[in-house]
Amino acid sequence: MGIEYKLNRLDTSGVGPLVDRHWRELREAKEKGQKIAWSSGPLFIYAYATPNMASHFMAGYAAYCGGRGMADEVLEAAERYGELRDTCSYHRLHTGMMAIIRKGWPISDERVVLPIPDLLIAGRFCTEMSHYMEGIHRRFGIRAVTIELPVCRKNEDRPRVEKYVTAQVKDILIPAIEEVSGSKFNEENMREIFRKWKETCIIRNKCWEFLKRKPALWTMWDYGVSIAPIFYAMGKPESHEYYVNLLAQLEERAAKNIPAVHPDGEKYRLYWDGWLPWAFLGKFIRMMGPHGAIPVTGRYPWEFFPHPEDINPEADDIVHEWIRLLYTSPNALAYHDGPWGGEEHVEKLLQDYSVDGMLFFSSKTCRLWNLGQQEIIANIERKYGIPGVVIDGDMIDSTMVSEDQIRTRIEALLETIDARRR
Amino acid sequence: MEEIMKQFVEYPSDPYTSIAKWKENHKKKVIGVFPMWIPEEIIHAAGMLPVVMWRSNEAITWGYKHVPPYNCPINKSVVDDVVKGKLKFMDGMVFLRQCLQSQEVPFIVENNRPPAFEEYLYLPPIYHGDKASKDFTRDEFEKLRKRLEEFGGEEITDEKLNESINIYNKNRSLLRKLYDLRKQKPGILRGRDVLRIVWSSMLMPKEEHNKLLESLLSELEKNGYEPTKGKKVFLSGCLCIHPQLELLDMIEDLGMVIVDDDIYVGYRYFANDAEITDDPIGALMERHFIKTPVDPARGEIEVNWGKELVGKVKKLHADGIITLLTKYCPPHLCYYPDIKVELADAGIPEVLIEVEHEIISLEGIKTRLQSFKEMIGGF
């Protein structure tokens, strides 16, 4: 009889109310006289720092819908409106929601319907993020601002791209935010968010250290859920409290030697690449947990957001500081998200977190990472002998997720790890 | 006439052999450029032959080890050709950030068969036409110029650039003339011939192509024209790749006649000239920011593709539009629902045909096209 592995989840119940509160405030923002911005990509911070403006974040909304079990219903609305299935599911989710508003279609959970925004901000990090803005602009005539945020191919490209992005933010985005919100962009507000956020992220990083331990004291699943407070309550006391509590739980586990996997810790330490499958987290946990397999690190969750040690809230040019973080800081998102910088980043995570195998989640409708994934697996396997597999699916669209196929590939990976251990 | 067409057809029939043969005969460098926006004129001015990368002539096999099946056809095809070594006659390749998928192709190329010369252009979208984006685009073009000078060992002067722009402008102007002729005399050439004429322009030296085009236009003007009966249709979309010739034949064999298009291996390729000025890089940059024909990959919100199509169809008195949607092409996928609404509101019939690297079911497409033909009033 084999070992019966079971996950010891941390108490992350503080996330739900915090997330609900964020979206409730967004739904009520207009009544309070605030303007609403919808943002894709990492530029939402500029709207977030504007006092008269409430800000939505595209991927956050997708996670919210997925978590509420509402993604399929909203995606169906998009399809009824004419969207094609091969289109990015985040795009369809937003255009589906707009179709529900426009057509007055009923929806079983009204909480996923947001007010029509006053401004659309597309941080064109992923080019498709701008397409949904364009669609909404065409259909509703809402003002759209698009800022090109190219992922860098080479290290030497980073400074000049950073300069270009900064110029766009200053010339186009800030004036648009000021015009729509009717208030001057508040630099001090942004600094204050950064100061508090930095404190929270330093605690977050301490929590990460417990994932490096063997056996690990928690898993990437619990961290995936815990990304929300960093986004939704950026710079707010409740975000800080959440991480103080998380760290306390981990310190207690460390003192009592309680591992993340019952009874004696994990059998397989895995790396996770690509988006988190928000609507199917439970499914993935159940597919891996009984094998004693846990993801302990991953590119996407470790990128959000730039490491706190890189933030300087007192920088002379605070507008530029955010772009610097994305482009030329040591942990630059806009470099690590491309396959060139990505491979370097993955290598580092594999070493830091003592990984046995790699799972590359390839979204069928989001092509941000999937073109380089097979190359990265091959290169890393050649260099370090760490095996990896690609699993196809989607973050929220259940029609794109085949549980059996995913289970087979996960099991194949675990068998490969076993074979190499013999 | 037949002799002229034979020469146009030679390159598209087997671009691999034709271009390699040309290279051998002329002892010049060949640079592959990824569709759709790279200014070939800069490469031409460096004394090299720019050729636009194409959808290959065989099934994807090795490529699937590197690219998931749910990526666009041009990516799958170029990667497949690269890893098989079919593009080794290319001395260099220029890639660009045009869409999410194209931006990562060079990573696979570099990992497998890196060419002697490689450049990557971060060409921005054109939404706001802002100074920062224009300055950045200019810098990207200057960077390409400098890298080519280093690679070729020759200075690319403004004079040389203007000469190249002039040759390319002439080619575009002749192709537009051919398209105008087709609008006036629908059916004067088969769809497959028009496609191969444009495609050959992407593969062979423009100087030769210009001569062939002049001869062809003169022949066409001399020859008599017997009006072709059939419902007039406009082809739209097909970004980055050429559609299958069989598909164009099918449209015509079903009794429709193609009067115009905005496909990439079509009007989109030669729509816009660059001005001849004392700042040729600036002129190429300005061309990048021209908003029509609407290019959904380039990002545009002031001009609406659907409305643009309505205007074109009305002007041509066409009976309908056949949308050729390159499978897994997000810029077109995301735009399509709005185009459909615009066309429906204007009462313009339209049918959607997905174009993949390999056609999975010609019969399925035929059924759709037959229904469309009946819809626009013909049995």
Side-chain angles (χ1 to χ4, degrees):
Chain A
M1 183 113 177
I3 301 169
E4 278 188 39
Y5 294 104
K6 205 177 158 204
L7 287 191
N8 279 325
R9 302 284 306 269
L10 286 177
D11 177 10
T12 54
S13 57
V15 172
L18 204 142
V19 169
D20 284 340
R21 181 171 150 190
H22 168 82
W23 293 108
R24 191 178 62 245
E25 284 176 358
L26 198 65
R27 287 195 298 274
E28 293 166 355
K30 287 217 169 177
E31 290 161 27
K32 292 177 189 160
Q34 282 185 301
K35 298 288 182 186
I36 294 176
W38 281 14
S39 302
S40 65
L43 297 179
F44 67 94
I45 181 77
Y46 297 105
Y48 188 84
T50 304
N52 293 351
M53 197 163 246
S55 180
H56 141 294
F57 178 68
M58 188 189 197
Y61 176 71
Y64 179 62
C65 273
R68 291 244 154 262
M70 286 300 294
D72 280 344
E73 203 175 319
V74 182
L75 291 173
E76 271 170 35
E79 214 170 320
R80 233 185 309 159
Y81 193 78
E83 294 289 352
L84 303 173
R85 272 202 187 176
D86 292 333
T87 311
C88 160
S89 55
Y90 284 11
H91 168 100
R92 281 180 286 141
L93 200 65
H94 285 79
T95 54
M97 193 236 295
M98 293 302 266
I100 288 166
I101 298 171
R102 187 175 210 179
K103 301 280 182 186
W105 288 334
I107 179 98
S108 43
D109 186 343
E110 290 280 346
R111 284 175 297 183
V112 300
V113 179
L114 302 176
I116 292 177
D118 303 288
L119 178 66
L120 302 163
I121 302 170
R124 207 169 179 266
F125 189 56
C126 144
T127 52
E128 288 175 48
M129 284 177 173
S130 59
H131 298 326
Y132 97 104
M133 297 286 182
E134 294 161 16
I136 293 169
H137 169 79
R138 282 192 294 270
R139 292 165 207 180
F140 286 82
I142 297 161
R143 181 166 178 179
V145 174
T146 300
I147 303 297
E148 173 73 340
L149 293 171
V151 170
C152 286
R153 172 173 164 253
K154 291 200 168 161
N155 246 323
E156 60 261 34
D157 295 337
R158 292 157 71 176
R160 65 193 176 85
V161 177
E162 175 185 310
K163 192 176 152 206
Y164 166 48
V165 173
T166 306
Q168 291 176 83
V169 169
K170 289 184 176 178
D171 296 350
I172 305 165
L173 180 59
I174 303 280
I177 289 175
E178 288 181 340
E179 209 180 308
V180 172
S181 70
S183 60
K184 195 88 186 132
F185 180 73
N186 191 326
E187 288 195 2
E188 186 45 39
N189 235 15
M190 193 155 168
R191 287 181 200 282
E192 191 54 19
I193 291 167
F194 279 167
R195 283 181 202 116
K196 289 181 176 155
W197 196 28
K198 182 169 178 166
E199 282 173 29
T200 305
C201 286
I202 285 169
I203 301 171
R204 186 268 319 260
N205 284 12
K206 284 182 186 166
C207 295
W208 279 353
E209 291 301 312
F210 292 99
L211 281 160
K212 290 179 182 169
R213 287 198 183 193
K214 285 174 93 170
L217 299 189
W218 62 317
T219 71
M220 191 201 72
W221 301 127
D222 282 338
Y223 174 56
V225 175
S226 304
I227 294 174
I230 294 179
F231 274 111
Y232 297 130
M234 189 187 290
K236 289 183 180 166
E238 53 266 38
S239 170
H240 194 78
E241 279 163 29
Y242 179 85
Y243 272 94
V244 167
N245 176 276
L246 206 66
L247 183 62
Q249 288 187 59
L250 287 164
E251 283 169 343
E252 190 186 340
R253 279 191 177 191
K256 296 179 179 170
N257 281 323
I258 302 171
V261 180
H262 174 83
D264 300 317
E266 67 277 6
K267 187 176 175 191
Y268 308 99
R269 296 171 64 83
L270 304 179
Y271 161 83
W272 180 276
D273 199 81
W275 296 107
L276 293 183
W278 300 114
F280 319 107
L281 284 177
K283 269 187 191 170
F284 278 90
I285 293 171
R286 285 190 293 277
M287 275 191 261
M288 295 161 69
H291 296 282
I294 51 165
V296 288
T297 186
R299 186 155 41 141
Y300 165 73
W302 262 247
E303 282 169 354
F304 285 91
F305 258 108
H307 288 216
E309 62 271 23
D310 300 336
I311 300 177
N312 178 9
E314 316 311 327
D316 288 343
D317 184 346
I318 201 69
V319 170
H320 166 251
E321 178 63 6
W322 180 244
I323 308 301
R324 187 190 68 74
L325 281 164
L326 300 176
Y327 280 93
T328 54
S329 69
N331 298 288
L333 176 68
Y335 182 52
H336 287 161
D337 252 13
W340 293 271
E343 191 170 325
E344 280 176 38
H345 187 44
V346 174
E347 281 187 39
K348 186 170 184 318
L349 290 173
L350 295 179
Q351 285 157 9
D352 289 352
Y353 289 83
S354 316
V355 164
D356 303 313
M358 303 176 289
L359 282 171
F360 279 69
F361 180 72
S362 173
S363 167
K364 287 179 186 171
T365 67
C366 169
R367 295 142 185 120
L368 180 60
W369 286 293
N370 62 25
L371 206 63
Q373 288 181 322
Q374 284 150 296
E375 302 295 308
I376 295 176
I377 291 177
N379 291 346
I380 285 180
E381 186 153 9
R382 242 188 330 262
K383 257 175 152 170
Y384 303 101
I386 299 174
V389 292
V390 173
I391 45 178
D392 311 322
D394 193 81
M395 298 78 77
I396 50 170
D397 187 342
S398 65
T399 65
M400 307 260 175
V401 178
S402 158
E403 210 170 322
D404 287 339
Q405 176 255 98
I406 293 169
R407 181 178 290 110
T408 306
R409 293 201 190 169
I410 290 173
E411 287 173 1
L413 173 70
L414 302 182
E415 283 168 21
T416 308
I417 297 171
D418 282 341
R420 292 190 184 175
R421 280 173 175 169
R422 281 183 203 127
Chain B
M1 178 80 178
E2 259 180 47
E3 190 47 43
I4 300 169
M5 273 316 296
K6 210 169 130 190
Q7 292 179 65
F8 278 124
V9 167
E10 187 193 340
Y11 277 80
S13 298
D14 183 2
Y16 307 90
T17 309
S18 306
I19 297 168
K21 202 165 86 187
W22 181 90
K23 182 182 160 175
E24 179 60 32
N25 292 341
H26 292 81
K27 309 288 177 220
K28 283 190 173 184
K29 290 186 168 66
V30 171
I31 307 290
V33 301
F34 201 89
M36 299 187 290
W37 312 333
I38 293 162
E40 293 169 54
E41 291 92 333
I42 303 176
I43 299 164
H44 183 270
M48 303 171 198
L49 176 66
V51 294
V52 179
M53 293 182 191
W54 56 91
R55 184 172 61 72
S56 83
N57 56 354
E58 59 183 60
I60 310 287
T61 50
W62 295 9
Y64 282 131
K65 196 181 160 208
H66 307 268
V67 185
Y70 36 86
N71 252 252
C72 74
I74 189 70
N75 276 7
K76 288 191 280 197
S77 173
V78 166
V79 167
D80 193 60
D81 272 357
V82 165
V83 296
K84 285 174 179 166
K86 285 172 72 181
L87 302 182
K88 62 185 176 196
F89 60 85
M90 289 183 183
D91 301 280
M93 293 180 183
V94 184
F95 296 98
L96 77 164
R97 173 174 152 95
Q98 171 176 262
C99 66
L100 200 53
Q101 299 175 89
S102 66
Q103 69 180 5
E104 288 168 6
V105 172
F107 180 68
I108 300 172
V109 173
E110 289 160 22
N111 259 277
N112 293 279
R113 285 182 184 264
F117 173 86
E118 191 201 341
E119 190 49 79
Y120 179 90
L121 303 182
Y122 297 89
L123 295 186
I126 61 170
Y127 295 97
H128 307 292
D130 53 295
K131 186 177 177 302
S133 295
K134 287 192 167 183
D135 289 349
F136 188 72
T137 306
R138 173 192 282 275
D139 291 347
E140 289 301 286
F141 290 169
E142 286 289 5
K143 182 184 71 171
L144 178 62
R145 176 203 260 201
K146 189 165 169 279
R147 290 276 338 272
L148 284 165
E149 285 175 339
E150 287 162 6
F151 182 59
E154 275 182 42
E155 191 190 352
I156 303 172
T157 61
D158 283 353
E159 289 70 29
K160 281 185 187 171
L161 267 172
N162 269 333
E163 275 171 34
S164 298
I165 291 173
N166 206 22
I167 290 165
Y168 273 68
N169 280 351
K170 183 174 177 184
N171 189 254
R172 287 184 278 259
S173 149
L174 290 167
L175 285 167
R176 287 195 295 265
K177 208 169 161 189
L178 179 74
Y179 264 52
D180 285 341
L181 194 63
R182 180 170 70 166
K183 284 183 221 165
Q184 290 155 20
K185 300 176 176 178
I188 189 164
L189 284 170
R190 294 276 290 176
R192 62 158 51 222
D193 290 333
V194 175
L195 181 90
R196 289 184 293 183
I197 290 166
V198 180
W199 189 12
S200 59
S201 163
M202 297 171 159
L203 304 172
M204 64 193 285
K206 288 287 188 287
E207 295 86 340
E208 284 179 41
H209 201 260
N210 284 346
K211 282 182 196 157
L212 281 176
L213 272 174
E214 280 170 336
S215 308
L216 176 78
L217 285 165
S218 143
E219 284 291 316
L220 288 172
E221 275 156 14
K222 264 194 304 196
N223 291 350
Y225 164 68
E226 196 155 321
T228 309
K229 285 180 187 162
K231 290 289 171 185
K232 295 200 282 185
V233 292
F234 184 99
L235 299 186
S236 176
C238 212
L239 301 176
C240 286
I241 58 167
H242 62 277
Q244 280 81 1
L245 297 176
E246 295 82 354
L247 181 57
L248 302 182
D249 290 346
M250 194 187 280
I251 292 168
E252 291 172 333
D253 294 345
L254 283 168
M256 293 176 271
V257 56
I258 301 161
V259 284
D260 199 4
D261 64 56
D262 69 2
I263 64 176
Y264 175 58
V265 186
Y267 180 71
R268 190 173 294 283
Y269 179 65
F270 54 81
N272 295 317
D273 289 342
E275 278 185 45
I276 303 289
T277 69
D278 54 6
D279 174 19
I281 289 288
L284 293 170
M285 177 273 286
E286 288 296 346
R287 184 184 57 192
H288 180 78
F289 284 85
I290 296 176
K291 292 176 185 289
T292 54
V294 173
D295 178 346
R298 209 181 298 221
E300 173 47 44
I301 46 178
E302 286 166 19
V303 187
N304 184 301
W305 193 4
K307 287 188 168 59
E308 184 182 69
L309 286 171
V310 170
K312 284 182 177 175
V313 167
K314 283 189 172 166
K315 201 171 167 193
L316 287 163
H317 301 290
D319 298 290
I321 288 188
I322 298 175
T323 298
L324 303 177
L325 174 66
T326 303
K327 184 85 175 156
Y328 304 119
C329 171
H332 197 176
L333 276 166
C334 294
Y335 215 126
Y336 178 72
D338 293 323
I339 294 173
K340 200 163 181 67
V341 168
E342 285 288 346
L343 295 178
D345 287 351
I348 295 171
E350 182 263 355
V351 67
L352 173 69
I353 304 291
E354 283 191 331
V355 181
E356 241 290 24
H357 177 74
E358 298 132 40
I359 287 189
I360 308 298
S361 163
L362 271 172
E363 277 309 305
I365 292 175
K366 194 171 180 181
T367 307
R368 286 181 74 81
L369 286 172
Q370 270 170 338
S371 309
F372 178 64
K373 170 75 191 312
E374 288 164 18
M375 206 166 83
I376 59 178
F379 292 94

